Amino acid sequence: KAGVTQTPRYLIKTRGQQVTLSCSPISGHRSVSWYQQTPGQGLQFLFEYFSETQRNKGNFPGRFSGRQFSNSRSEMNVSTLELGDSALYLCASSLDIVLVGYTFGSGTRLTVV
Amino acid sequence: KQEVTQIPAALSVPEGENLVLNCSFTDSAIYNLQWFRQDPGKGLTSLLLIQSSQREQTSGRLNASLDKSSGRSTLYIAASQPGDSATYLCAVNSGGSYIPTFGRGTSLIVHP
């Protein structure tokens, strides 16, 4: 069965621009979570969507936003990019976080120049 | 607030050694604990998931144990190989939000 698909794999953007990343979860998974990973901070939770509703939110500024569609696909958007937004952005989907845990995608590497 | 610590942060061993990676957590009221592997620049690959009611899980050369009372989990890798070189992360699921707390990982290098 298909895994979690993230697109694009790599992105280079300029400071001040905005960017949209996409995540398609495993079929049947309604929960989609987003993480930012940097060498200095490790994995940091951004937000989680479940059935088109944001269910949990991490401690990130309002420039970071997301949404989930009726087919469970999710997008995250970062506006007014800063150099510090350069990171690996990871998406994880779950059927039931307690019973089966997370399945991660391969990530999107964002570089802000 | 749950805190997860992984020791050591980095490990370099010769091929063939048996390894133990450690994961400690502060709140023992957990739902589950999941071990992941991450290759450089890639996503996380799930290795083992241990439920709160379980003591251990095994998959091939990997064995993960869980001791809630002491707030510890260990990942045992038998007969290590160069292909095991990666960063290993543990994630502890606890609290009402069901959002796992991740450790910073152990970076493992197995040299031939």
Side-chain angles (χ1 to χ4, degrees), chain A residues 40-92:
Chain A
Q41 298 295 323
L43 265 170
Q44 292 188 284
F45 172 72
L46 282 155
F47 28 65
E48 182 219 4
Y49 286 87
F50 182 87
S51 294
E52 303 179 64
T53 301
Q54 187 180 86
R55 190 161 66 172
N56 288 288
K57 187 177 188 307
N59 190 25
F60 275 81
R63 300 185 297 108
F64 292 82
S65 63
R67 59 178 175 169
Q68 187 179 33
F69 302 95
S70 58
N71 62 357
S72 292
R73 189 178 72 85
S74 177
E75 290 181 346
M76 67 162 282
N77 183 277
V78 188
S79 63
T80 319
L81 283 166
E82 301 176 358
L83 295 179
D85 297 333
S86 295
L88 181 66
Y89 289 88
L90 292 164
C91 164

Tab-separated table of all heavy atoms in Angstrom, chain A residues 40-92:
chain	number	residue	atom	x	y	z
A	40	GLY	N	19.611	22.235	15.113
A	40	GLY	CA	19.698	22.869	16.428
A	40	GLY	C	18.539	22.554	17.355
A	40	GLY	O	18.718	22.428	18.566
A	41	GLN	N	17.347	22.399	16.811
A	41	GLN	CA	16.140	22.241	17.630
A	41	GLN	C	15.546	20.842	17.587
A	41	GLN	O	14.617	20.538	18.341
A	41	GLN	CB	15.063	23.238	17.173
A	41	GLN	CG	15.464	24.694	17.317
A	41	GLN	CD	15.661	25.077	18.758
A	41	GLN	OE1	14.939	24.615	19.650
A	41	GLN	NE2	16.668	25.885	19.028
A	42	GLY	N	16.046	19.995	16.727
A	42	GLY	CA	15.456	18.663	16.635
A	42	GLY	C	14.079	18.718	15.988
A	42	GLY	O	13.767	19.619	15.214
A	43	LEU	N	13.239	17.761	16.347
A	43	LEU	CA	11.884	17.676	15.799
A	43	LEU	C	10.942	18.543	16.626
A	43	LEU	O	10.795	18.336	17.823
A	43	LEU	CB	11.386	16.235	15.845
A	43	LEU	CG	11.559	15.385	14.621
A	43	LEU	CD1	11.234	13.936	14.941
A	43	LEU	CD2	10.639	15.865	13.497
A	44	GLN	N	10.284	19.477	15.969
A	44	GLN	CA	9.330	20.334	16.672
A	44	GLN	C	7.965	20.207	16.022
A	44	GLN	O	7.839	20.324	14.796
A	44	GLN	CB	9.801	21.783	16.625
A	44	GLN	CG	11.076	22.031	17.438
A	44	GLN	CD	11.387	23.507	17.527
A	44	GLN	OE1	11.869	24.113	16.580
A	44	GLN	NE2	11.081	24.100	18.677
A	45	PHE	N	6.952	20.010	16.858
A	45	PHE	CA	5.587	19.815	16.397
A	45	PHE	C	4.989	21.142	15.937
A	45	PHE	O	5.041	22.142	16.659
A	45	PHE	CB	4.758	19.222	17.541
A	45	PHE	CG	3.289	19.140	17.274
A	45	PHE	CD1	2.783	18.207	16.384
A	45	PHE	CD2	2.410	19.995	17.914
A	45	PHE	CE1	1.427	18.125	16.144
A	45	PHE	CE2	1.056	19.921	17.686
A	45	PHE	CZ	0.560	18.987	16.796
A	46	LEU	N	4.408	21.121	14.736
A	46	LEU	CA	3.754	22.313	14.194
A	46	LEU	C	2.250	22.288	14.455
A	46	LEU	O	1.719	23.155	15.128
A	46	LEU	CB	4.005	22.408	12.685
A	46	LEU	CG	5.370	22.934	12.284
A	46	LEU	CD1	5.754	22.429	10.903
A	46	LEU	CD2	5.375	24.449	12.318
A	47	PHE	N	1.570	21.312	13.879
A	47	PHE	CA	0.132	21.157	14.108
A	47	PHE	C	-0.337	19.786	13.638
A	47	PHE	O	0.367	19.093	12.912
A	47	PHE	CB	-0.708	22.257	13.429
A	47	PHE	CG	-0.110	22.866	12.199
A	47	PHE	CD1	0.106	22.136	11.049
A	47	PHE	CD2	0.247	24.207	12.205
A	47	PHE	CE1	0.652	22.700	9.926
A	47	PHE	CE2	0.804	24.795	11.084
A	47	PHE	CZ	1.000	24.041	9.938
A	48	GLU	N	-1.551	19.452	14.109
A	48	GLU	CA	-2.182	18.199	13.716
A	48	GLU	C	-3.585	18.488	13.208
A	48	GLU	O	-4.316	19.293	13.813
A	48	GLU	CB	-2.274	17.219	14.895
A	48	GLU	CG	-2.889	15.874	14.511
A	48	GLU	CD	-3.826	15.301	15.562
A	48	GLU	OE1	-4.089	15.970	16.582
A	48	GLU	OE2	-4.316	14.175	15.342
A	49	TYR	N	-3.959	17.843	12.126
A	49	TYR	CA	-5.304	17.940	11.584
A	49	TYR	C	-5.974	16.576	11.633
A	49	TYR	O	-5.334	15.540	11.403
A	49	TYR	CB	-5.282	18.469	10.151
A	49	TYR	CG	-4.996	19.939	10.101
A	49	TYR	CD1	-3.689	20.396	10.066
A	49	TYR	CD2	-6.022	20.874	10.137
A	49	TYR	CE1	-3.410	21.749	10.056
A	49	TYR	CE2	-5.761	22.233	10.130
A	49	TYR	CZ	-4.449	22.660	10.099
A	49	TYR	OH	-4.165	23.999	10.095
A	50	PHE	N	-7.263	16.623	11.952
A	50	PHE	CA	-8.065	15.402	11.996
A	50	PHE	C	-9.424	15.738	11.419
A	50	PHE	O	-10.108	16.654	11.915
A	50	PHE	CB	-8.200	14.885	13.432
A	50	PHE	CG	-8.967	13.608	13.548
A	50	PHE	CD1	-8.329	12.395	13.405
A	50	PHE	CD2	-10.333	13.620	13.801
A	50	PHE	CE1	-9.037	11.200	13.522
A	50	PHE	CE2	-11.043	12.441	13.906
A	50	PHE	CZ	-10.395	11.226	13.768
A	51	SER	N	-9.816	15.020	10.376
A	51	SER	CA	-11.107	15.251	9.727
A	51	SER	C	-11.336	16.729	9.442
A	51	SER	O	-12.375	17.302	9.819
A	51	SER	CB	-12.251	14.692	10.593
A	51	SER	OG	-12.160	13.291	10.679
A	52	GLU	N	-10.351	17.355	8.813
A	52	GLU	CA	-10.407	18.733	8.321
A	52	GLU	C	-10.346	19.793	9.414
A	52	GLU	O	-10.481	20.988	9.109
A	52	GLU	CB	-11.649	18.959	7.441
A	52	GLU	CG	-11.730	18.024	6.251
A	52	GLU	CD	-12.979	18.265	5.422
A	52	GLU	OE1	-13.108	19.363	4.857
A	52	GLU	OE2	-13.830	17.356	5.341
A	53	THR	N	-10.145	19.393	10.664
A	53	THR	CA	-10.097	20.337	11.779
A	53	THR	C	-8.717	20.304	12.417
A	53	THR	O	-8.151	19.229	12.613
A	53	THR	CB	-11.159	19.983	12.836
A	53	THR	OG1	-12.449	20.014	12.227
A	53	THR	CG2	-11.119	20.973	13.995
A	54	GLN	N	-8.205	21.480	12.742
A	54	GLN	CA	-6.944	21.519	13.478
A	54	GLN	C	-7.219	21.087	14.907
A	54	GLN	O	-7.905	21.776	15.665
A	54	GLN	CB	-6.343	22.927	13.454
A	54	GLN	CG	-4.943	22.965	14.058
A	54	GLN	CD	-4.339	24.371	14.029
A	54	GLN	OE1	-4.556	25.173	14.932
A	54	GLN	NE2	-3.603	24.680	12.979
A	55	ARG	N	-6.619	19.993	15.311
A	55	ARG	CA	-6.907	19.426	16.623
A	55	ARG	C	-5.854	19.830	17.654
A	55	ARG	O	-6.154	19.952	18.834
A	55	ARG	CB	-6.999	17.910	16.511
A	55	ARG	CG	-7.521	17.220	17.752
A	55	ARG	CD	-8.026	15.819	17.469
A	55	ARG	NE	-6.987	14.890	17.068
A	55	ARG	CZ	-7.207	13.563	16.934
A	55	ARG	NH1	-8.406	13.077	17.162
A	55	ARG	NH2	-6.229	12.767	16.532
A	56	ASN	N	-4.614	20.004	17.205
A	56	ASN	CA	-3.545	20.416	18.104
A	56	ASN	C	-2.622	21.391	17.377
A	56	ASN	O	-2.467	21.298	16.151
A	56	ASN	CB	-2.721	19.212	18.574
A	56	ASN	CG	-3.467	18.342	19.549
A	56	ASN	OD1	-3.690	18.707	20.700
A	56	ASN	ND2	-3.889	17.177	19.087
A	57	LYS	N	-1.993	22.256	18.140
A	57	LYS	CA	-1.115	23.246	17.551
A	57	LYS	C	0.117	23.391	18.413
A	57	LYS	O	0.028	23.447	19.649
A	57	LYS	CB	-1.842	24.588	17.436
A	57	LYS	CG	-1.071	25.649	16.687
A	57	LYS	CD	-1.900	26.920	16.566
A	57	LYS	CE	-1.256	27.945	15.650
A	57	LYS	NZ	0.128	28.263	16.006
A	58	GLY	N	1.273	23.473	17.763
A	58	GLY	CA	2.522	23.694	18.481
A	58	GLY	C	2.774	25.174	18.677
A	58	GLY	O	1.926	26.023	18.395
A	59	ASN	N	3.980	25.469	19.134
A	59	ASN	CA	4.330	26.846	19.487
A	59	ASN	C	5.098	27.514	18.349
A	59	ASN	O	6.292	27.783	18.470
A	59	ASN	CB	5.156	26.842	20.779
A	59	ASN	CG	5.348	28.230	21.321
A	59	ASN	OD1	4.556	29.117	21.060
A	59	ASN	ND2	6.436	28.432	22.054
A	60	PHE	N	4.417	27.778	17.273
A	60	PHE	CA	5.013	28.442	16.119
A	60	PHE	C	4.229	29.712	15.815
A	60	PHE	O	3.027	29.806	16.120
A	60	PHE	CB	4.984	27.512	14.887
A	60	PHE	CG	6.145	26.564	14.837
A	60	PHE	CD1	6.140	25.403	15.583
A	60	PHE	CD2	7.251	26.835	14.041
A	60	PHE	CE1	7.221	24.525	15.550
A	60	PHE	CE2	8.334	25.957	13.986
A	60	PHE	CZ	8.307	24.806	14.748
A	61	PRO	N	4.904	30.702	15.196
A	61	PRO	CA	4.189	31.954	14.888
A	61	PRO	C	3.091	31.749	13.849
A	61	PRO	O	3.050	30.734	13.151
A	61	PRO	CB	5.302	32.869	14.338
A	61	PRO	CG	6.409	31.963	13.940
A	61	PRO	CD	6.330	30.772	14.836
A	62	GLY	N	2.224	32.737	13.748
A	62	GLY	CA	1.073	32.664	12.845
A	62	GLY	C	1.443	32.577	11.378
A	62	GLY	O	0.584	32.281	10.545
A	63	ARG	N	2.729	32.815	11.048
A	63	ARG	CA	3.155	32.676	9.645
A	63	ARG	C	3.016	31.224	9.166
A	63	ARG	O	2.983	30.964	7.964
A	63	ARG	CB	4.617	33.098	9.487
A	63	ARG	CG	4.924	34.515	9.870
A	63	ARG	CD	6.367	34.869	9.556
A	63	ARG	NE	7.336	34.088	10.307
A	63	ARG	CZ	8.099	33.128	9.791
A	63	ARG	NH1	8.010	32.820	8.505
A	63	ARG	NH2	8.985	32.484	10.541
A	64	PHE	N	2.983	30.324	10.118
A	64	PHE	CA	2.833	28.902	9.795
A	64	PHE	C	1.355	28.525	9.909
A	64	PHE	O	0.739	28.721	10.963
A	64	PHE	CB	3.659	28.044	10.756
A	64	PHE	CG	5.136	28.191	10.593
A	64	PHE	CD1	5.805	29.265	11.178
A	64	PHE	CD2	5.866	27.272	9.864
A	64	PHE	CE1	7.181	29.415	11.022
A	64	PHE	CE2	7.241	27.405	9.713
A	64	PHE	CZ	7.892	28.478	10.289
A	65	SER	N	0.799	28.017	8.868
A	65	SER	CA	-0.611	27.630	8.878
A	65	SER	C	-0.780	26.349	8.084
A	65	SER	O	0.119	25.927	7.338
A	65	SER	CB	-1.481	28.737	8.292
A	65	SER	OG	-1.154	28.954	6.931
A	66	GLY	N	-1.927	25.747	8.235
A	66	GLY	CA	-2.175	24.516	7.507
A	66	GLY	C	-3.652	24.327	7.268
A	66	GLY	O	-4.492	25.124	7.721
A	67	ARG	N	-3.951	23.289	6.526
A	67	ARG	CA	-5.340	22.907	6.337
A	67	ARG	C	-5.389	21.456	5.890
A	67	ARG	O	-4.391	20.886	5.449
A	67	ARG	CB	-6.035	23.801	5.321
A	67	ARG	CG	-5.418	23.807	3.931
A	67	ARG	CD	-6.237	24.701	3.003
A	67	ARG	NE	-5.619	24.835	1.693
A	67	ARG	CZ	-6.238	25.391	0.655
A	67	ARG	NH1	-7.473	25.842	0.769
A	67	ARG	NH2	-5.622	25.482	-0.519
A	68	GLN	N	-6.564	20.892	6.016
A	68	GLN	CA	-6.763	19.512	5.574
A	68	GLN	C	-8.026	19.457	4.745
A	68	GLN	O	-9.044	20.085	5.083
A	68	GLN	CB	-6.874	18.563	6.779
A	68	GLN	CG	-6.921	17.090	6.386
A	68	GLN	CD	-7.004	16.170	7.588
A	68	GLN	OE1	-7.609	16.509	8.604
A	68	GLN	NE2	-6.400	14.997	7.487
A	69	PHE	N	-7.972	18.690	3.684
A	69	PHE	CA	-9.098	18.583	2.764
A	69	PHE	C	-9.947	17.350	3.092
A	69	PHE	O	-9.543	16.507	3.904
A	69	PHE	CB	-8.566	18.518	1.326
A	69	PHE	CG	-7.732	19.712	0.953
A	69	PHE	CD1	-6.354	19.686	1.062
A	69	PHE	CD2	-8.342	20.887	0.520
A	69	PHE	CE1	-5.583	20.796	0.734
A	69	PHE	CE2	-7.586	21.995	0.190
A	69	PHE	CZ	-6.209	21.948	0.306
A	70	SER	N	-11.074	17.258	2.438
A	70	SER	CA	-12.005	16.171	2.745
A	70	SER	C	-11.417	14.797	2.426
A	70	SER	O	-11.854	13.787	2.975
A	70	SER	CB	-13.328	16.369	1.981
A	70	SER	OG	-13.090	16.419	0.595
A	71	ASN	N	-10.419	14.735	1.545
A	71	ASN	CA	-9.780	13.438	1.242
A	71	ASN	C	-8.579	13.173	2.164
A	71	ASN	O	-7.796	12.263	1.911
A	71	ASN	CB	-9.337	13.396	-0.222
A	71	ASN	CG	-8.298	14.459	-0.550
A	71	ASN	OD1	-7.947	15.269	0.311
A	71	ASN	ND2	-7.829	14.465	-1.783
A	72	SER	N	-8.456	13.978	3.229
A	72	SER	CA	-7.400	13.886	4.248
A	72	SER	C	-6.053	14.443	3.810
A	72	SER	O	-5.156	14.549	4.646
A	72	SER	CB	-7.222	12.451	4.774
A	72	SER	OG	-8.350	12.065	5.513
A	73	ARG	N	-5.900	14.793	2.550
A	73	ARG	CA	-4.651	15.443	2.138
A	73	ARG	C	-4.508	16.758	2.890
A	73	ARG	O	-5.504	17.419	3.206
A	73	ARG	CB	-4.641	15.699	0.636
A	73	ARG	CG	-3.290	16.184	0.097
A	73	ARG	CD	-3.352	16.356	-1.424
A	73	ARG	NE	-4.155	17.509	-1.814
A	73	ARG	CZ	-3.706	18.751	-1.898
A	73	ARG	NH1	-2.432	19.021	-1.607
A	73	ARG	NH2	-4.500	19.724	-2.288
A	74	SER	N	-3.256	17.080	3.219
A	74	SER	CA	-3.020	18.285	4.009
A	74	SER	C	-1.978	19.163	3.330
A	74	SER	O	-1.101	18.674	2.604
A	74	SER	CB	-2.554	17.905	5.414
A	74	SER	OG	-2.259	19.046	6.192
A	75	GLU	N	-2.105	20.429	3.555
A	75	GLU	CA	-1.103	21.390	3.104
A	75	GLU	C	-0.678	22.241	4.274
A	75	GLU	O	-1.485	22.517	5.179
A	75	GLU	CB	-1.673	22.319	2.017
A	75	GLU	CG	-1.943	21.650	0.686
A	75	GLU	CD	-2.472	22.630	-0.341
A	75	GLU	OE1	-2.878	23.748	0.025
A	75	GLU	OE2	-2.499	22.258	-1.533
A	76	MET	N	0.593	22.651	4.254
A	76	MET	CA	1.017	23.659	5.203
A	76	MET	C	1.616	24.834	4.419
A	76	MET	O	2.203	24.642	3.355
A	76	MET	CB	2.005	23.138	6.238
A	76	MET	CG	3.365	22.732	5.747
A	76	MET	SD	4.566	22.632	7.111
A	76	MET	CE	4.936	24.352	7.371
A	77	ASN	N	1.412	25.993	4.950
A	77	ASN	CA	1.841	27.212	4.294
A	77	ASN	C	2.710	28.018	5.249
A	77	ASN	O	2.404	28.113	6.441
A	77	ASN	CB	0.615	28.032	3.880
A	77	ASN	CG	0.994	29.281	3.120
A	77	ASN	OD1	1.322	30.297	3.721
A	77	ASN	ND2	0.972	29.212	1.809
A	78	VAL	N	3.782	28.553	4.717
A	78	VAL	CA	4.619	29.468	5.496
A	78	VAL	C	4.695	30.772	4.724
A	78	VAL	O	5.116	30.784	3.556
A	78	VAL	CB	6.037	28.916	5.736
A	78	VAL	CG1	6.791	29.825	6.717
A	78	VAL	CG2	6.001	27.490	6.253
A	79	SER	N	4.266	31.838	5.346
A	79	SER	CA	4.303	33.140	4.688
A	79	SER	C	5.508	33.931	5.181
A	79	SER	O	6.081	33.633	6.233
A	79	SER	CB	3.014	33.911	4.969
A	79	SER	OG	2.901	34.160	6.355
A	80	THR	N	5.884	34.920	4.416
A	80	THR	CA	6.980	35.826	4.762
A	80	THR	C	8.183	35.030	5.287
A	80	THR	O	8.598	35.144	6.453
A	80	THR	CB	6.539	36.862	5.816
A	80	THR	OG1	5.225	37.332	5.519
A	80	THR	CG2	7.501	38.046	5.815
A	81	LEU	N	8.728	34.212	4.433
A	81	LEU	CA	9.804	33.305	4.828
A	81	LEU	C	10.999	34.040	5.409
A	81	LEU	O	11.392	35.124	4.951
A	81	LEU	CB	10.245	32.490	3.621
A	81	LEU	CG	9.312	31.345	3.223
A	81	LEU	CD1	9.662	30.830	1.831
A	81	LEU	CD2	9.377	30.223	4.243
A	82	GLU	N	11.587	33.407	6.430
A	82	GLU	CA	12.818	33.891	7.061
A	82	GLU	C	13.907	32.841	6.876
A	82	GLU	O	13.611	31.658	6.648
A	82	GLU	CB	12.567	34.146	8.551
A	82	GLU	CG	11.472	35.151	8.824
A	82	GLU	CD	11.188	35.311	10.316
A	82	GLU	OE1	11.830	34.602	11.129
A	82	GLU	OE2	10.314	36.135	10.660
A	83	LEU	N	15.160	33.276	7.003
A	83	LEU	CA	16.267	32.339	6.842
A	83	LEU	C	16.153	31.167	7.817
A	83	LEU	O	16.471	30.027	7.483
A	83	LEU	CB	17.608	33.055	7.050
A	83	LEU	CG	17.976	34.120	6.031
A	83	LEU	CD1	19.318	34.743	6.399
A	83	LEU	CD2	18.027	33.537	4.625
A	84	GLY	N	15.651	31.453	9.013
A	84	GLY	CA	15.514	30.431	10.045
A	84	GLY	C	14.449	29.386	9.755
A	84	GLY	O	14.341	28.398	10.487
A	85	ASP	N	13.671	29.603	8.717
A	85	ASP	CA	12.658	28.617	8.339
A	85	ASP	C	13.264	27.479	7.523
A	85	ASP	O	12.567	26.495	7.225
A	85	ASP	CB	11.532	29.282	7.532
A	85	ASP	CG	10.782	30.326	8.331
A	85	ASP	OD1	10.738	30.216	9.574
A	85	ASP	OD2	10.250	31.266	7.714
A	86	SER	N	14.513	27.605	7.164
A	86	SER	CA	15.192	26.529	6.440
A	86	SER	C	15.217	25.288	7.322
A	86	SER	O	15.726	25.330	8.451
A	86	SER	CB	16.620	26.940	6.080
A	86	SER	OG	16.623	28.017	5.176
A	87	ALA	N	14.672	24.204	6.820
A	87	ALA	CA	14.522	23.002	7.644
A	87	ALA	C	13.997	21.862	6.788
A	87	ALA	O	13.640	22.050	5.629
A	87	ALA	CB	13.548	23.255	8.799
A	88	LEU	N	13.955	20.688	7.399
A	88	LEU	CA	13.260	19.542	6.822
A	88	LEU	C	11.864	19.521	7.440
A	88	LEU	O	11.728	19.483	8.663
A	88	LEU	CB	14.011	18.252	7.133
A	88	LEU	CG	13.410	16.956	6.579
A	88	LEU	CD1	13.453	16.942	5.049
A	88	LEU	CD2	14.150	15.739	7.135
A	89	TYR	N	10.842	19.585	6.605
A	89	TYR	CA	9.469	19.554	7.085
A	89	TYR	C	8.908	18.153	6.852
A	89	TYR	O	8.890	17.651	5.730
A	89	TYR	CB	8.627	20.619	6.381
A	89	TYR	CG	9.009	21.997	6.850
A	89	TYR	CD1	10.045	22.697	6.225
A	89	TYR	CD2	8.394	22.583	7.954
A	89	TYR	CE1	10.436	23.942	6.675
A	89	TYR	CE2	8.778	23.830	8.408
A	89	TYR	CZ	9.803	24.497	7.773
A	89	TYR	OH	10.203	25.736	8.238
A	90	LEU	N	8.454	17.562	7.944
A	90	LEU	CA	7.993	16.180	7.909
A	90	LEU	C	6.515	16.100	8.217
A	90	LEU	O	6.003	16.806	9.086
A	90	LEU	CB	8.764	15.343	8.937
A	90	LEU	CG	10.251	15.138	8.635
A	90	LEU	CD1	10.993	14.655	9.874
A	90	LEU	CD2	10.425	14.135	7.510
A	91	CYS	N	5.871	15.233	7.497
A	91	CYS	CA	4.450	14.980	7.688
A	91	CYS	C	4.308	13.545	8.186
A	91	CYS	O	5.030	12.644	7.727
A	91	CYS	CB	3.737	15.178	6.360
A	91	CYS	SG	2.089	14.498	6.268
A	92	ALA	N	3.396	13.335	9.129
A	92	ALA	CA	3.138	11.991	9.639
A	92	ALA	C	1.637	11.753	9.649
A	92	ALA	O	0.870	12.643	10.018
A	92	ALA	CB	3.701	11.841	11.051
